[in-house]
Amino acid sequence: MPAILYLVHDVTDPAVAKRVTMLSAGGATVRVAGFRREGRQAPARLGAGAPIDLGMTRDGQFAQRIAAVARAALGLKQALAGLAAPDIIIARNLEMLALAHRVAGLYRSPPAIVYESLDIHRLLLGSGAVSSTLRTVERRLAADAALLMTSSPAFLREYFEPYGQVSAPVELVENKVLALEGERGVPQLGPRFERPWVIGWFGALRCSRSLAILKDVASRMDGAIEVVMRGRPAYREIPDFDAQVRDAPHLRFEGAYEPEDLPSHYVAVDFCWAIDFFEAGQNSEWLLPNRLYESGAHGVVPIARANTETARFLQARNIGIVLDEGSADDLVARLSDLTKEELQRLSARQQALDASTWTYGVEDCRALVQRLAALAPSQPMEAAA
């Protein structure tokens, strides 16, 4: 099985740990090198050892991140000294792809480079000179990629294909729940089927419009709907998050969580808020978020907005609730008349789906690693002199 060097923008991101777990479960030896976000503590161990520190970055400050990448590029040989030569480098987003080329140049027989793109940054999507330049940089850096890994078909359909960004083969790796012990599925707890209905908004809490909608609905329905939030608030996007939550009736924030805590959190809610306006018209329309698969795996009904990839996912399977606009009025109208029997029918249709809709098991992890292993150069790696 291959040795993988995983280059990441944030070693503290739970999604990075999830991918490392998936690759390790598939049989790969994974070492992680990357940046840590200001104010966060890097994990002591990630994969086969401690993550290799490439420096600190600040959330949302693109120029600072580029400067940090430039500094890291100058010290890569020293930072990676003593690290066994990898067979494959996975670069998680565009700036890491630039570093991947620098790392590959340290070896006489360069490792295969895999470009992992799980979000399309708004700076790549404009019509101005900055966006055009960034797309040109991406095309050039991706020209030698052996594989593109992405998490939603819409990223291919709406960005990579029309812009002609990557010619490499594609591996779709969705944001499914990892179910690595025993049966492939996870406990299908299902909604509580009790009033008041409870909406859970879990994960990256970065959408100020979602918070405003959920606050409004909870207030207007005056106890008939409650909202529970868990995860990481994005204070850059919602600087007064704590004050908003403190002053809102029937809405509460219950802190961060670990993946193993998900069953106990989902058993306490009826619906999952799977709507995002953070990059409306672009990335928010195209992504298939972690919370979609988490709620599905645990039998909780997702709520999506029409004309998004999440809505198309639900509609193709005749499950979930799809709102026309995703507004407070939409949600109040939909939930005010919802009966216990209808919620039971929604949940039953969802739970009748195969577990593979929502989860990846060990065999899926092995299949991914085998796909990656086939990319590795046939000759053994040698460190550059």
Side-chain angles (χ1 to χ4, degrees):
M1 286 292 104
I4 296 175
L5 175 62
Y6 193 21
L7 299 177
V8 303
H9 67 297
D10 179 7
V11 298
T12 69
D13 186 344
V16 167
K18 179 179 175 182
R19 179 69 77 239
V20 171
T21 298
M22 186 176 188
L23 295 170
S24 300
T29 300
V30 186
R31 290 300 308 271
V32 178
F35 298 93
R36 51 192 160 74
R37 285 294 165 88
E38 185 178 35
R40 298 181 189 168
Q41 183 68 37
R45 187 177 183 87
L46 198 56
I52 298 165
D53 185 22
L54 298 182
M56 183 273 294
T57 58
R58 298 187 182 92
D59 190 24
Q61 297 191 21
F62 193 72
Q64 189 273 335
R65 284 168 57 183
I66 294 300
V69 169
R71 287 193 297 272
L74 297 175
L76 276 175
K77 189 168 185 177
Q78 181 178 358
L80 300 177
L83 181 69
D87 302 300
I88 298 153
I89 302 170
I90 300 178
R92 190 181 179 97
N93 73 19
L94 181 53
E95 60 256 48
M96 296 300 103
L97 185 59
L99 285 184
H101 281 270
R102 295 279 297 187
V103 174
L106 298 175
Y107 304 99
R108 295 191 180 94
S109 178
I113 295 176
V114 174
Y115 181 25
E116 184 180 40
S117 179
L118 306 178
D119 288 293
I120 310 300
H121 196 282
R122 60 185 177 273
L123 286 177
L124 288 164
L125 296 165
S127 57
V130 171
S131 295
S132 178
T133 298
L134 285 174
R135 287 194 297 271
T136 299
V137 170
E138 183 181 53
R139 279 194 296 272
R140 290 176 177 173
L141 290 174
D144 296 330
L147 188 72
L148 169 66
M149 285 172 51
T150 192
S151 58
S152 170
F155 293 148
L156 303 172
R157 186 178 66 246
E158 303 291 341
Y159 177 69
F160 285 108
E161 292 171 359
Y163 284 99
Q165 290 303 99
V166 180
S167 59
V170 175
E171 186 75 11
L172 185 67
V173 185
E174 297 171 76
N175 289 315
K176 296 183 182 184
V177 175
L178 297 183
L180 304 180
E181 296 181 7
E183 296 296 323
R184 180 190 178 116
V186 298
Q188 292 253 334
L189 305 170
R192 303 169 313 119
F193 302 125
E194 297 175 5
R195 290 185 182 274
W197 303 136
V198 181
I199 300 172
W201 183 26
F202 300 160
L205 309 178
R206 63 181 185 175
C207 178
S208 59
R209 186 171 170 186
S210 287
L211 178 58
I213 290 168
L214 293 171
K215 279 179 57 182
D216 188 14
V217 169
S219 177
R220 285 164 59 179
M221 297 197 71
D222 194 25
I225 291 288
E226 295 182 355
V227 177
V228 177
M229 300 178 294
R230 291 181 177 274
R232 287 183 174 182
Y235 289 105
R236 185 175 183 273
E237 280 71 37
I238 318 176
D240 60 343
F241 176 89
D242 295 332
Q244 287 201 56
V245 173
R246 183 178 61 246
D247 298 337
H250 313 296
L251 180 145
R252 62 188 186 275
F253 173 59
E254 297 188 345
Y257 62 88
E258 298 296 331
E260 56 268 25
D261 299 330
L262 285 173
S264 64
H265 297 334
Y266 275 106
V267 75
V269 303
D270 302 288
F271 305 96
C272 164
W273 183 255
I275 293 177
D276 181 63
F277 298 97
F278 181 65
E279 292 179 341
Q282 298 175 344
N283 199 67
S284 292
E285 262 67 14
W286 306 336
L287 54 77
L288 291 173
N290 285 282
R291 56 177 68 97
L292 167 65
Y293 300 95
E294 293 168 357
S295 61
H298 292 93
V300 169
V301 176
I303 300 172
R305 177 167 54 96
N307 301 313
T308 64
E309 195 68 11
T310 301
R312 284 186 279 272
F313 180 101
L314 296 176
Q315 290 167 330
R317 295 160 178 81
N318 193 29
I319 58 173
I321 291 175
V322 176
L323 305 176
D324 289 340
E325 301 294 334
S327 66
D329 288 344
D330 277 351
L331 189 55
V332 169
R334 185 67 179 89
L335 297 187
S336 292
D337 298 329
L338 185 75
T339 65
K340 174 180 177 179
E341 290 72 27
E342 184 180 2
L343 181 56
Q344 288 174 325
R345 287 194 295 272
L346 285 169
S347 180
R349 286 204 302 268
Q350 184 170 309
Q351 295 190 54
L353 296 175
D354 190 271
S356 63
T357 306
W358 314 110
T359 64
Y360 283 132
V362 173
E363 289 305 314
D364 299 293
C365 300
R366 289 173 180 159
L368 175 61
V369 170
Q370 288 169 3
R371 176 80 170 91
L372 296 173
L375 307 173
S378 56
Q379 62 269 45
M381 298 290 99
E382 293 183 70

